[in-house]
Protein backbone atom coordinates (compact mmCIF):
# COMPACT_ATOMS: atom_id res chain seq x y z
CA UNK A 1 0.00 0.00 0.00
CA UNK A 2 1.18 3.51 -0.81
CA UNK A 3 -0.40 6.27 1.27
CA UNK A 4 -0.38 10.03 1.11
CA UNK A 5 -0.76 11.44 4.62
CA UNK A 6 -1.46 15.16 4.90
CA UNK A 7 -0.65 17.14 8.05
CA UNK A 8 1.90 14.41 8.73
CA UNK A 9 4.23 16.67 10.75
CA UNK A 10 1.46 17.62 13.20
CA UNK A 11 0.44 15.94 16.43
CA UNK A 12 -1.91 13.17 15.27
CA UNK A 13 -0.66 12.82 11.68
CA UNK A 14 2.91 12.24 12.84
CA UNK A 15 1.82 9.58 15.33
CA UNK A 16 -0.07 7.87 12.53
CA UNK A 17 2.98 7.88 10.26
CA UNK A 18 5.40 6.77 13.00
CA UNK A 19 3.13 3.85 13.90
CA UNK A 20 2.84 2.84 10.27
CA UNK A 21 6.61 3.00 9.71
CA UNK A 22 7.21 1.06 12.95
CA UNK A 23 5.00 -1.76 11.65
CA UNK A 24 2.29 -0.98 14.20
CA UNK A 25 -0.57 -1.69 11.83
CA UNK A 26 -0.56 -5.45 11.20
CA UNK A 27 -0.79 -6.31 7.50
CA UNK A 28 0.72 -2.96 6.48
CA UNK A 29 4.31 -3.40 7.64
CA UNK A 30 5.54 -2.58 4.16
CA UNK A 31 3.31 0.45 3.53
CA UNK A 32 5.06 3.38 1.88
CA UNK A 33 4.17 6.89 3.01
CA UNK A 34 4.31 10.26 1.34
CA UNK A 35 4.06 12.78 4.18
CA UNK A 36 2.75 16.14 2.99
CA UNK A 37 2.88 19.11 5.34
CA UNK A 38 3.05 22.88 4.98
CA UNK A 39 5.02 23.12 8.24
CA UNK A 40 2.91 25.93 9.65
CA UNK A 41 3.67 26.99 13.24
CA UNK A 42 1.93 23.70 14.25
CA UNK A 43 3.99 21.39 12.05
CA UNK A 44 7.36 20.08 13.16
CA UNK A 45 9.57 18.12 10.80
CA UNK A 46 11.27 16.54 13.84
CA UNK A 47 8.04 14.70 14.64
CA UNK A 48 8.94 12.31 11.81
CA UNK A 49 12.11 10.29 11.23
CA UNK A 50 14.79 12.34 9.47
CA UNK A 51 14.97 9.58 6.90
CA UNK A 52 13.35 6.20 6.43
CA UNK A 53 13.33 3.87 3.42
CA UNK A 54 9.52 3.89 3.26
CA UNK A 55 9.01 7.61 3.93
CA UNK A 56 9.11 10.57 1.59
CA UNK A 57 8.54 14.01 3.13
CA UNK A 58 7.09 16.75 0.94
CA UNK A 59 6.94 20.33 2.20
CA UNK A 60 3.79 21.65 0.56
CA UNK A 61 0.25 22.94 0.79
CA UNK A 62 -2.95 20.91 0.41
CA UNK A 63 -4.42 23.93 -1.37
CA UNK A 64 -1.79 23.57 -4.13
CA UNK A 65 -3.61 21.72 -6.93
CA UNK A 66 -0.60 21.47 -9.21
CA UNK A 67 1.50 19.89 -6.46
CA UNK A 68 -1.23 17.40 -5.54
CA UNK A 69 -1.76 16.33 -9.13
CA UNK A 70 1.95 15.72 -9.46
CA UNK A 71 2.17 13.81 -6.15
CA UNK A 72 -0.96 11.67 -6.10
CA UNK A 73 -0.55 9.27 -9.05
CA UNK A 74 0.60 5.87 -7.77
CA UNK A 75 -0.98 6.26 -4.33
CA UNK A 76 -3.71 3.88 -3.14
CA UNK A 77 -5.26 6.18 -0.59
CA UNK A 78 -5.07 9.47 1.29
CA UNK A 79 -5.43 10.06 5.01
CA UNK A 80 -6.19 13.73 5.47
CA UNK A 81 -5.14 15.20 8.81
CA UNK A 82 -3.94 18.64 7.63
CA UNK A 83 -5.90 21.45 9.23
CA UNK A 84 -5.74 24.60 11.22
CA UNK A 85 -6.66 23.04 14.56
CA UNK A 86 -6.62 25.64 17.34
CA UNK A 87 -10.01 27.05 18.38
CA UNK A 88 -8.57 30.16 20.03
CA UNK A 89 -6.62 31.11 16.90
CA UNK A 90 -9.82 30.72 14.88
CA UNK A 91 -11.46 33.29 17.18
CA UNK A 92 -8.73 35.81 16.41
CA UNK A 93 -8.68 35.19 12.65
CA UNK A 94 -10.78 32.64 10.80
CA UNK A 95 -9.34 33.15 7.32
CA UNK A 96 -6.67 30.42 7.42
CA UNK A 97 -9.25 28.05 8.84
CA UNK A 98 -11.57 28.46 5.89
CA UNK A 99 -8.67 28.34 3.47
CA UNK A 100 -7.17 25.07 4.74
CA UNK A 101 -10.11 23.31 6.41
CA UNK A 102 -12.59 23.96 3.60
CA UNK A 103 -10.56 24.98 0.53
CA UNK A 104 -7.88 22.40 1.29
CA UNK A 105 -10.44 19.59 1.43
CA UNK A 106 -11.93 20.64 -1.91
CA UNK A 107 -8.46 20.91 -3.42
CA UNK A 108 -7.47 17.45 -2.18
CA UNK A 109 -10.68 15.75 -3.30
CA UNK A 110 -10.54 17.42 -6.70
CA UNK A 111 -6.97 16.20 -7.16
CA UNK A 112 -7.97 12.67 -6.06
CA UNK A 113 -10.83 12.69 -8.52
CA UNK A 114 -8.67 13.80 -11.43
CA UNK A 115 -5.76 11.48 -10.67
CA UNK A 116 -7.93 8.44 -9.92
CA UNK A 117 -7.02 7.99 -6.24
CA UNK A 118 -10.20 6.39 -4.99
CA UNK A 119 -9.90 6.08 -1.22
CA UNK A 120 -9.80 9.02 1.20
CA UNK A 121 -10.21 9.21 4.97
CA UNK A 122 -11.04 12.73 6.04
CA UNK A 123 -10.17 13.26 9.71
CA UNK A 124 -12.59 15.52 11.55
CA UNK A 125 -13.72 16.36 15.06
CA UNK A 126 -16.57 15.99 17.54
CA UNK A 127 -16.70 19.79 17.70
CA UNK A 128 -18.77 19.89 14.49
CA UNK A 129 -21.79 18.78 16.57
CA UNK A 130 -21.67 21.85 18.82
CA UNK A 131 -22.18 21.50 22.56
CA UNK A 132 -24.59 19.31 24.51
CA UNK A 133 -25.75 19.24 28.11
CA UNK A 134 -26.34 15.50 28.37
CA UNK A 135 -26.30 12.32 26.28
CA UNK A 136 -23.90 11.70 23.38
CA UNK A 137 -23.87 12.51 19.68
CA UNK A 138 -24.35 9.79 17.11
CA UNK A 139 -23.28 10.15 13.48
CA UNK A 140 -26.86 11.22 12.70
CA UNK A 141 -26.81 14.16 15.10
CA UNK A 142 -27.19 17.53 13.35
CA UNK A 143 -24.15 19.66 12.65
CA UNK A 144 -24.20 22.72 14.93
CA UNK A 145 -20.64 24.10 15.03
CA UNK A 146 -20.13 27.15 17.20
CA UNK A 147 -16.56 28.35 16.55
CA UNK A 148 -14.88 29.33 13.28
CA UNK A 149 -12.69 26.24 13.75
CA UNK A 150 -15.56 23.80 14.12
CA UNK A 151 -17.60 25.53 11.40
CA UNK A 152 -14.72 25.17 8.96
CA UNK A 153 -14.31 21.50 9.88
CA UNK A 154 -18.05 20.87 9.42
CA UNK A 155 -17.93 22.54 6.01
CA UNK A 156 -14.92 20.42 5.07
CA UNK A 157 -16.78 17.25 6.10
CA UNK A 158 -19.66 18.16 3.81
CA UNK A 159 -17.36 18.96 0.90
CA UNK A 160 -15.56 15.63 1.35
CA UNK A 161 -18.78 13.63 1.51
CA UNK A 162 -20.18 15.50 -1.49
CA UNK A 163 -17.14 14.49 -3.59
CA UNK A 164 -17.96 10.91 -2.67
CA UNK A 165 -21.58 11.28 -3.63
CA UNK A 166 -21.01 13.26 -6.84
CA UNK A 167 -17.77 11.81 -8.14
CA UNK A 168 -17.51 8.38 -6.60
CA UNK A 169 -14.39 9.06 -4.51
CA UNK A 170 -14.56 6.54 -1.64
CA UNK A 171 -14.60 9.01 1.23
CA UNK A 172 -15.09 8.12 4.89
CA UNK A 173 -15.15 10.79 7.59
CA UNK A 174 -13.93 10.28 11.17
CA UNK A 175 -14.98 12.56 14.00
CA UNK A 176 -12.74 12.13 17.01
CA UNK A 177 -12.83 13.35 20.58
CA UNK A 178 -10.15 15.48 22.24
CA UNK A 179 -6.82 13.77 21.80
CA UNK A 180 -3.73 13.84 24.00
CA UNK A 181 -0.26 12.32 24.00
CA UNK A 182 3.35 13.11 23.08
CA UNK A 183 4.29 15.62 20.36
CA UNK A 184 1.21 17.81 20.87
CA UNK A 185 1.85 21.52 20.39
CA UNK A 186 2.08 23.37 23.74
CA UNK A 187 -0.75 25.67 22.73
CA UNK A 188 -3.21 22.86 23.62
CA UNK A 189 -4.50 22.35 27.17
CA UNK A 190 -2.60 19.29 28.40
CA UNK A 191 0.85 20.20 27.02
CA UNK A 192 0.35 23.85 27.94
CA UNK A 193 -0.41 23.00 31.56
CA UNK A 194 2.25 20.31 31.87
CA UNK A 195 5.00 22.50 30.39
CA UNK A 196 3.92 25.45 32.54
CA UNK A 197 4.19 23.26 35.63
CA UNK A 198 7.60 21.95 34.54
CA UNK A 199 8.67 25.59 34.20
CA UNK A 200 7.12 26.55 37.58
CA UNK A 201 4.52 28.77 35.88
CA UNK A 202 0.83 29.11 36.83
CA UNK A 203 -2.02 27.43 34.94
CA UNK A 204 -4.45 29.81 33.21
CA UNK A 205 -7.76 27.96 33.69
CA UNK A 206 -10.67 29.28 31.67
CA UNK A 207 -13.72 30.43 33.65
CA UNK A 208 -14.95 28.04 36.32
CA UNK A 209 -13.34 24.99 34.69
CA UNK A 210 -16.69 23.19 34.40
CA UNK A 211 -16.35 22.52 30.65
CA UNK A 212 -16.33 18.80 29.96
CA UNK A 213 -14.24 17.11 27.29
CA UNK A 214 -13.88 13.47 26.30
CA UNK A 215 -10.22 12.45 26.01
CA UNK A 216 -8.52 9.73 23.98
CA UNK A 217 -4.87 8.81 23.61
CA UNK A 218 -3.37 9.66 20.24
CA UNK A 219 -2.43 6.02 19.55
CA UNK A 220 -6.07 5.00 19.96
CA UNK A 221 -7.20 7.82 17.69
CA UNK A 222 -4.73 6.70 15.01
CA UNK A 223 -5.76 3.07 15.36
CA UNK A 224 -9.37 4.07 14.76
CA UNK A 225 -8.46 6.12 11.69
CA UNK A 226 -6.52 3.17 10.28
CA UNK A 227 -9.43 0.79 10.82
CA UNK A 228 -11.70 3.18 8.97
CA UNK A 229 -9.18 3.41 6.15
CA UNK A 230 -9.02 -0.37 5.80
CA UNK A 231 -12.59 -1.48 6.52
CA UNK A 232 -14.78 1.60 6.82
CA UNK A 233 -17.59 2.00 4.36
CA UNK A 234 -17.32 4.78 1.75
CA UNK A 235 -19.79 7.60 2.30
CA UNK A 236 -19.97 6.88 6.02
CA UNK A 237 -19.12 8.94 9.07
CA UNK A 238 -17.51 7.23 12.08
CA UNK A 239 -17.41 8.83 15.50
CA UNK A 240 -14.22 7.98 17.39
CA UNK A 241 -15.56 7.95 20.94
CA UNK A 242 -15.22 5.82 24.02
CA UNK A 243 -12.79 8.22 25.64
CA UNK A 244 -12.69 9.44 29.23
CA UNK A 245 -14.75 12.48 30.24
CA UNK A 246 -13.28 15.06 32.60
CA UNK A 247 -14.11 18.63 33.54
CA UNK A 248 -11.23 20.93 32.75
CA UNK A 249 -10.89 21.52 36.49
CA UNK A 250 -10.68 17.79 37.30
CA UNK A 251 -8.12 17.33 34.53
CA UNK A 252 -6.10 20.27 35.86
CA UNK A 253 -6.11 18.78 39.35
CA UNK A 254 -4.89 15.45 37.95
CA UNK A 255 -2.05 17.20 36.11
CA UNK A 256 -1.12 19.12 39.27
CA UNK A 257 -0.86 15.86 41.15
CA UNK A 258 1.22 14.19 38.42
CA UNK A 259 3.60 17.14 38.46
CA UNK A 260 3.80 17.34 42.26
CA UNK A 261 2.12 20.75 42.48
CA UNK A 262 -1.05 22.01 44.16
CA UNK A 263 -4.09 24.12 43.33
CA UNK A 264 -2.32 27.34 44.29
CA UNK A 265 -0.85 27.17 40.74
CA UNK A 266 -4.30 27.72 39.18
CA UNK A 267 -5.05 31.24 37.88
CA UNK A 268 -8.61 31.75 36.73
CA UNK A 269 -8.72 33.68 33.45
CA UNK A 270 -11.77 35.08 31.61
CA UNK A 271 -13.60 32.37 29.74
CA UNK A 272 -13.09 31.75 26.02
CA UNK A 273 -15.71 33.44 23.84
CA UNK A 274 -18.60 31.06 23.15
CA UNK A 275 -16.86 28.28 25.09
CA UNK A 276 -18.68 24.99 24.38
CA UNK A 277 -19.76 23.39 27.66
CA UNK A 278 -19.62 19.71 26.87
CA UNK A 279 -18.69 17.27 24.10
CA UNK A 280 -19.52 13.57 24.16
CA UNK A 281 -19.55 11.03 21.35
CA UNK A 282 -21.42 7.78 20.93
CA UNK A 283 -18.73 5.52 19.48
CA UNK A 284 -20.88 2.40 19.09
CA UNK A 285 -20.88 2.40 15.28
CA UNK A 286 -17.09 2.18 15.09
CA UNK A 287 -17.01 -0.40 17.87
CA UNK A 288 -19.71 -2.62 16.40
CA UNK A 289 -18.73 -2.32 12.72
CA UNK A 290 -14.96 -2.20 12.97
CA UNK A 291 -14.21 -3.50 16.45
CA UNK A 292 -12.47 -0.38 17.72
CA UNK A 293 -12.25 0.31 21.44
CA UNK A 294 -9.64 2.57 23.01
CA UNK A 295 -6.86 0.58 24.68
CA UNK A 296 -4.85 3.17 26.57
CA UNK A 297 -6.38 3.78 30.03
CA UNK A 298 -6.63 7.52 30.62
CA UNK A 299 -4.72 7.62 33.91
CA UNK A 300 -1.81 5.66 32.46
CA UNK A 301 -1.80 7.58 29.17
CA UNK A 302 -1.82 10.90 31.00
CA UNK A 303 1.03 9.88 33.31
CA UNK A 304 3.08 8.70 30.30
CA UNK A 305 2.36 11.95 28.50
CA UNK A 306 3.57 14.02 31.46
CA UNK A 307 6.74 11.89 31.51
CA UNK A 308 7.28 12.46 27.78
CA UNK A 309 7.18 16.24 28.22
CA UNK A 310 9.45 15.96 31.24
CA UNK A 311 11.95 13.94 29.20
CA UNK A 312 11.79 16.09 26.04
CA UNK A 313 12.22 19.75 27.01
CA UNK A 314 14.20 20.34 23.82
CA UNK A 315 11.12 19.51 21.76
CA UNK A 316 8.63 21.76 23.53
CA UNK A 317 10.78 24.64 24.78
CA UNK A 318 11.68 25.67 21.23
CA UNK A 319 8.09 25.35 20.05
CA UNK A 320 6.78 27.27 23.02
CA UNK A 321 9.37 30.04 22.57
CA UNK A 322 8.44 30.37 18.89
CA UNK A 323 4.77 30.79 19.85
CA UNK A 324 5.50 33.40 22.48
CA UNK A 325 3.60 36.57 21.72
CA UNK A 326 0.74 34.56 20.19
CA UNK A 327 -1.43 35.54 23.10
CA UNK A 328 -4.59 33.68 23.70
CA UNK A 329 -5.76 30.60 25.44
CA UNK A 330 -5.08 26.96 25.15
CA UNK A 331 -7.12 24.73 22.89
CA UNK A 332 -9.34 21.94 24.09
P1 LIG B 1 -1.98 19.92 14.42
O1 LIG B 1 -2.31 21.38 14.42
O2 LIG B 1 -1.04 19.39 15.44
O3 LIG B 1 -1.39 19.51 12.99
C1 LIG B 1 -1.89 20.02 11.79
C2 LIG B 1 -0.81 19.83 10.73
O4 LIG B 1 -1.34 20.27 9.47
C3 LIG B 1 0.44 20.65 10.99
O5 LIG B 1 1.58 19.82 10.85
C4 LIG B 1 0.41 21.74 9.93
O6 LIG B 1 1.69 22.17 9.52
C5 LIG B 1 -0.36 21.03 8.81
N1 LIG B 1 -1.03 21.98 7.89
C6 LIG B 1 -1.79 23.04 8.23
N2 LIG B 1 -2.24 23.65 7.11
C7 LIG B 1 -1.76 22.94 6.06
C8 LIG B 1 -1.88 23.06 4.65
N3 LIG B 1 -2.58 24.08 4.10
N4 LIG B 1 -1.28 22.15 3.85
C9 LIG B 1 -0.56 21.13 4.41
N5 LIG B 1 -0.39 20.97 5.74
C10 LIG B 1 -0.99 21.86 6.55
O7 LIG B 1 -3.38 19.19 14.48
P2 LIG B 1 -3.76 17.75 15.10
O8 LIG B 1 -4.15 17.94 16.50
O9 LIG B 1 -2.71 16.78 14.73
O10 LIG B 1 -5.09 17.44 14.28
C11 LIG B 1 -5.05 16.67 13.07
C12 LIG B 1 -6.47 16.52 12.56
O11 LIG B 1 -7.27 15.89 13.54
C13 LIG B 1 -7.16 17.86 12.26
O12 LIG B 1 -7.90 17.72 11.09
C14 LIG B 1 -8.08 18.07 13.46
O13 LIG B 1 -9.21 18.82 13.10
C15 LIG B 1 -8.42 16.66 13.82
N6 LIG B 1 -8.75 16.40 15.25
C16 LIG B 1 -7.89 16.80 16.23
C17 LIG B 1 -8.21 16.52 17.56
C18 LIG B 1 -7.29 16.93 18.69
O14 LIG B 1 -7.70 16.85 19.86
N7 LIG B 1 -6.05 17.31 18.43
C19 LIG B 1 -9.40 15.88 17.88
C20 LIG B 1 -10.26 15.49 16.84
C21 LIG B 1 -9.90 15.76 15.52
Amino acid sequence: MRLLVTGAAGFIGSQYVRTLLDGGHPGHERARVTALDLLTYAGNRDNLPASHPRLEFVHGDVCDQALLRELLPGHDAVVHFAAESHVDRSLRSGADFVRTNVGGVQSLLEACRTTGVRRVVHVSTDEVYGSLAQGSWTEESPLAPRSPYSASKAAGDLVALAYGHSHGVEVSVTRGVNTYGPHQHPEKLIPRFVTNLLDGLPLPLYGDGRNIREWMHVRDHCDAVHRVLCDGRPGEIYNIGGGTSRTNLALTEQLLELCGADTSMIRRVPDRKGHDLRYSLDGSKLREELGHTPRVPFDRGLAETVEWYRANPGWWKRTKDESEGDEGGYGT
Side-chain angles (χ1 to χ4, degrees), residues 5-15 36-45 47 57-64 80-86 96 99-101 104 122-127 149 153 174-180 183-185 187-188 214-216 218 221 225 240 281 331-332:
V5 180
T6 73
F11 166 47
I12 308 177
S14 69
Q15 176 71 58
L36 174 66
D37 201 293
L38 186 56
L39 297 179
T40 67
Y41 78 94
N44 185 339
R45 179 63 184 85
N47 287 342
F57 182 80
V58 177
H59 182 193
D61 190 343
V62 289
C63 299
D64 184 342
H80 181 47
F81 291 99
E84 288 292 335
S85 68
H86 187 39
D96 283 347
R99 178 184 180 278
T100 290
N101 300 358
H122 168 69
V123 177
S124 189
T125 166
D126 58 0
E127 300 193 29
Y149 164 65
K153 290 297 292 185
T174 63
R175 292 181 177 152
V177 298
N178 273 55
T179 304
Y180 71 97
H183 295 269
Q184 187 171 29
H185 194 287
E187 69 183 357
K188 303 287 168 60
E214 188 180 347
W215 292 96
M216 178 176 291
V218 65
H221 192 146
V225 167
I240 306 177
L281 283 184
T332 51

Side-chain angles (χ1 to χ4, degrees), residues 109 118-120 122 160-161 164 169-173 233-236:
L109 270 292
R118 296 197 63 78
R119 184 77 178 117
V120 176
H122 168 69
L161 290 165
V169 184
E170 294 173 3
V171 179
S172 303
V173 172
R233 286 180 290 143
E236 293 291 321

Side-chain angles (χ1 to χ4, degrees), residues 82-101:
E84 288 292 335
S85 68
H86 187 39
V87 175
D88 295 273
R89 284 177 187 263
S90 82
L91 298 173
R92 296 203 294 280
S93 167
D96 283 347
F97 288 75
V98 173
R99 178 184 180 278
T100 290
N101 300 358

Side-chain angles (χ1 to χ4, degrees), residues 249-265:
L249 180 58
L251 175 61
T252 302
E253 287 168 351
Q254 199 168 344
L255 292 174
L256 284 165
E257 197 182 326
L258 284 167
C259 293
D262 62 42
T263 51
S264 65
M265 294 303 279

Side-chain angles (χ1 to χ4, degrees), residues 27-311:
H28 294 103
E29 290 83 355
R30 297 172 64 185
R32 285 182 296 151
V33 180
T34 304
L36 174 66
D37 201 293
L38 186 56
L39 297 179
T40 67
Y41 78 94
N44 185 339
R45 179 63 184 85
D46 295 342
N47 287 342
L48 296 170
S51 74
H52 188 285
R54 291 186 285 113
L55 173 69
E56 183 192 354
F57 182 80
V58 177
H59 182 193
D61 190 343
V62 289
C63 299
D64 184 342
Q65 262 299 289
L67 172 68
L68 290 173
R69 287 185 196 211
E70 192 188 312
L71 277 182
L72 278 167
H75 288 84
D76 301 299
V78 175
V79 184
H80 181 47
F81 291 99
E84 288 292 335
S85 68
H86 187 39
V87 175
D88 295 273
R89 284 177 187 263
S90 82
L91 298 173
R92 296 203 294 280
S93 167
D96 283 347
F97 288 75
V98 173
R99 178 184 180 278
T100 290
N101 300 358
V102 188
V105 177
Q106 188 275 332
S107 164
L108 180 68
L109 270 292
E110 180 64 20
C112 287
R113 176 178 86 81
T114 51
T115 57
V117 174
R118 296 197 63 78
R119 184 77 178 117
V120 176
V121 175
H122 168 69
V123 177
S124 189
T125 166
D126 58 0
E127 300 193 29
V128 298
Y129 296 118
S131 180
L132 89 174
Q134 53 195 2
S136 299
W137 292 298
T138 71
E139 290 79 358
E140 273 74 50
S141 299
L143 294 174
R146 291 153 41 106
S147 73
Y149 164 65
S150 54
S152 68
K153 290 297 292 185
D157 293 8
L158 296 179
V159 170
L161 290 165
Y163 262 81
H165 188 75
S166 307
H167 297 298
V169 184
E170 294 173 3
V171 179
S172 303
V173 172
T174 63
R175 292 181 177 152
V177 298
N178 273 55
T179 304
Y180 71 97
H183 295 269
Q184 187 171 29
H185 194 287
E187 69 183 357
K188 303 287 168 60
L189 190 154
I190 290 176
R192 165 74 86 93
F193 280 17
V194 172
T195 58
N196 274 17
L197 288 172
L198 293 175
D199 272 344
L201 297 171
L203 309 183
L205 183 68
Y206 273 142
D208 57 13
R210 282 188 313 120
N211 308 70
I212 297 172
R213 297 293 181 265
E214 188 180 347
W215 292 96
M216 178 176 291
H217 194 274
V218 65
R219 289 198 302 272
D220 283 324
H221 192 146
C222 290
D223 180 57
V225 167
H226 193 70
R227 279 173 198 246
V228 171
L229 172 70
C230 297
D231 298 316
R233 286 180 290 143
E236 293 291 321
I237 298 163
Y238 292 91
N239 286 345
I240 306 177
T244 298
S245 290
R246 287 276 189 279
T247 64
N248 286 350
L249 180 58
L251 175 61
T252 302
E253 287 168 351
Q254 199 168 344
L255 292 174
L256 284 165
E257 197 182 326
L258 284 167
C259 293
D262 62 42
T263 51
S264 65
M265 294 303 279
I266 296 177
R267 299 282 183 279
R268 307 268 177 177
V269 295
D271 210 353
R272 170 196 283 164
K273 284 185 197 168
H275 202 173
D276 290 338
L277 182 61
R278 176 172 172 267
Y279 304 144
S280 176
L281 283 184
D282 179 335
S284 55
K285 179 175 174 180
L286 185 64
R287 188 173 63 246
E288 285 159 22
E289 269 190 35
L290 304 182
H292 173 82
T293 44
R295 282 179 296 188
V296 182
F298 183 70
D299 293 351
R300 195 186 84 206
L302 197 64
E304 282 175 11
T305 301
V306 169
E307 284 317 304
W308 188 86
Y309 283 93
R310 203 191 291 283

